[in-house]
């Protein structure tokens, strides 16, 4: 029997996926956001993906496979893109790190507030500045239509939403960008071979066969949004193979750059791999507040500007 081609694998993945909940609502928000940012003073629009996708093991999901991603990269990058004048569609894993909340404690609600009496609650003086900045920056970004947040949980939701966004952004052409920082599952249980109810325990070890998630980057580049500027990420734990893997991904998926990072040093440095060579981007270690995304987004925005200019000439 001949094996399926890449396009067929992609179609079969979507045909067998459970329907995306609230699709109409998502589309309405997305189209409204794109419309606002494409009329009048046109803004560049970037889709930032963030956090990890889950792989459900049961249709009425009790158990799932997850990954390490905290969403920190996506949240920090989003803040920097907004600062650089972009409108951001933030496609993020529910419950992961949010833009403008990085300097708040893990449990902000309980740690930042104090109850004075039965009716009044106020922010602890030690957190006033951080809370004020988080609330003001987030509200301004949303009110000015610079930030649209769309949550996902499963690999099925993520890929269906990415396709919706890419298709909706098609007409924005070179002024649109995909910055794919989410950690997307490589393996999954196909919906139609998944048990409906909770897997029963008590009958010995569990054997699960995982299928490979079809690679969507090629189709994003060739069909969904061929004119968009596209940045993908490559994570490895073995630094020796990282650059080689990133270089291969660059050639295979024809993205404009691959950001290569190693798990343990990902907050300190990344390498931007592209046809114009490899650039190491580091956090400014002499500035305690500095994060690698400050320098990374500056470089990516610069590259995007060149891409837009070249597309118009
Ligand atoms: O989400 P986080 O800040 O904890 O980590 C960021 C990251 C390592 C998930 C991201 O930089 C990345 O490499 N994403 C792609 C991972 C992959 O190769 O699938």
């Amino acid at each position: 029997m001949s094996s399926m081609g890449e396009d067929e694998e992609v179609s079969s993945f979507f045909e067998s996926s459970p329907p995306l909940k609230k699709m109409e609502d998502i589309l309405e928000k997305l189209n409204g956001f794109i419309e606002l940012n494409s009329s009048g003073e046109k803004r560049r629009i970037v889709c930032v993906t963030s956090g990890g996708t889950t792989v459900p093991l049961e249709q009425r999901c009790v158990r799932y496979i997850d990954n390490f991603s905290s969403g920190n990269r996506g949240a920090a990058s989003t803040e920097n893109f907004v600062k650089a004048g972009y409108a951001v569609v933030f496609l993020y894993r529910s419950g992961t790190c949010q833009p403008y909340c990085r300097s708040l404690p893990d449990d902000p609600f309980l740690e930042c507030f104090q109850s004075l009496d039965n009716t009044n609650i106020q922010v602890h003086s030690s957190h006033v500045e951080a809370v004020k900045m988080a609330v003001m920056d987030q509200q301004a970004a949303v009110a000015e239509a610079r930030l649209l947040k769309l949550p996902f949980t499963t690999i099925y939701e993520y890929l269906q939403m990415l396709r919706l966004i890419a298709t909706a952004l098609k007409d924005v052409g070179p002024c649109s960008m995909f910055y794919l920082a989410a950690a997307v599952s490589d393996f999954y249980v196909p919906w139609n071979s998944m048990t409906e109810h909770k897997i029963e325990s008590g009958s010995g070890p569990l054997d699960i066969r995982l299928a490979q998630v079809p690679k969507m980057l090629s189709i994003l580049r060739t069909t969904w949004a061929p004119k968009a500027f596209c940045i993908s990420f490559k994570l490895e734990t073995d630094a020796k193979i990282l650059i080689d893997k990133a270089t291969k991904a660059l050639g295979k998926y024809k993205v404009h750059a691959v950001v290569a990072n190693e798990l343990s040093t990902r907050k300190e440095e990344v390498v931007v791999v592209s046809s114009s060579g490899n650039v190491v981007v580091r956090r400014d270690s002499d500035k305690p507040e500095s994060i690698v995304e400050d320098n990374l987004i500056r470089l990516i925005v610069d590259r995007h500007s060149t891409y837009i200019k070249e597309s118009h000439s």
Side-chain angles (χ1 to χ4, degrees):
M1 206 170 73
S2 66
S3 61
M4 269 199 265
E6 252 177 37
D7 287 0
E8 269 176 283
E9 281 176 15
V10 169
S11 317
S12 142
F13 177 90
F14 285 118
E15 276 158 23
S16 62
S17 292
L20 183 62
K21 291 191 192 108
K22 301 196 184 146
M23 189 167 95
E24 294 309 316
D25 186 40
I26 295 171
L27 263 179
E28 198 183 316
K29 283 185 185 150
L30 186 59
N31 289 332
F33 186 78
I34 295 172
E35 175 70 34
L36 275 173
N37 283 293
S38 313
S39 50
E41 174 220 352
K42 283 193 178 59
R43 287 185 190 134
R44 296 180 190 179
I45 306 179
V46 57
C47 170
V48 173
T49 71
S50 185
T53 57
T54 67
V55 170
L57 300 185
E58 299 118 343
Q59 290 183 349
R60 300 190 189 205
C61 183
V62 173
R63 302 186 183 92
Y64 54 87
I65 302 172
D66 202 355
N67 68 54
F68 71 97
S69 173
S70 64
N72 199 75
R73 170 92 74 225
S77 303
T78 293
E79 292 172 31
N80 276 285
F81 276 122
V82 170
K83 219 186 282 172
Y86 281 69
V88 182
V89 178
F90 182 60
L91 180 60
Y92 72 98
R93 161 73 183 279
S94 279
T96 56
C97 189
Q98 294 296 295
Y100 308 112
C101 295
R102 288 176 304 108
S103 49
L104 297 179
D106 279 353
D107 196 342
F109 191 65
L110 295 176
E111 287 182 51
C112 292
F113 295 97
Q114 58 185 343
S115 166
L116 298 178
D117 50 51
N118 273 345
T119 47
N120 286 308
I121 286 191
Q122 80 174 26
V123 179
H124 244 290
S125 56
S126 53
H127 292 300
V128 164
E129 210 43 41
V131 171
K132 202 169 71 188
M133 291 315 293
V135 171
M136 282 172 46
D137 288 347
Q138 138 91 21
Q139 284 181 352
V142 173
E144 291 165 16
R146 288 180 185 277
L147 179 59
L148 174 69
K149 300 210 271 185
L150 298 174
F152 66 83
T153 300
T154 68
I155 180 74
Y156 294 108
E157 290 164 354
Y158 172 80
L159 289 174
Q160 291 186 78
M161 289 170 82
L162 184 64
R163 181 175 62 168
L164 276 187
I165 297 166
T167 317
L169 279 174
K170 200 169 188 174
D171 291 342
V172 181
C175 289
S176 63
M177 186 197 310
F178 286 84
Y179 178 91
L180 304 167
V184 182
S185 323
D186 286 320
F187 303 100
Y188 78 123
V189 184
W191 190 256
N192 37 28
S193 62
M194 196 186 293
T195 161
E196 181 186 350
H197 291 285
K198 184 183 165 207
I199 297 169
E200 285 189 36
S201 59
S203 44
L206 174 65
D207 286 323
I208 303 175
R209 190 174 163 81
L210 300 175
Q212 197 153 10
V213 174
K215 297 287 179 209
M216 301 282 170
L217 258 182
S218 303
I219 199 157
L220 181 127
R221 288 285 300 122
T222 56
T223 313
W224 295 348
K227 292 192 176 144
F229 190 61
C230 190
I231 307 296
S232 71
F233 279 71
K234 174 60 79 186
L235 171 83
E236 292 295 340
T237 52
D238 180 355
K240 292 195 287 299
I241 62 169
L242 177 62
I243 299 303
D244 187 46
K245 288 272 200 158
T247 309
K248 284 194 175 125
L250 182 76
K252 184 166 181 197
Y253 301 114
K254 311 270 183 298
V255 290
H256 299 96
V258 178
V259 180
N261 54 172
E262 198 253 297
L263 185 68
S264 61
T265 57
R266 71 191 193 278
K267 292 195 175 175
E268 296 302 315
E269 70 167 50
V270 299
V271 182
V272 177
V273 174
S274 72
S275 58
S276 55
N278 300 349
V279 181
V280 180
V281 180
R282 292 197 178 86
R283 183 178 87 75
D284 299 331
S285 51
D286 50 334
K287 297 185 198 145
E289 298 288 289
S290 160
I291 52 173
V292 69
E293 288 79 8
D294 294 340
N295 295 331
L296 174 60
I297 303 308
R298 205 169 297 132
L299 178 83
I300 299 291
V301 168
D302 229 51
R303 296 275 177 96
H304 190 200
S305 301
T306 308
Y307 175 74
I308 294 171
K309 263 188 221 132
E310 285 174 357
S311 312
H312 290 324
S313 63

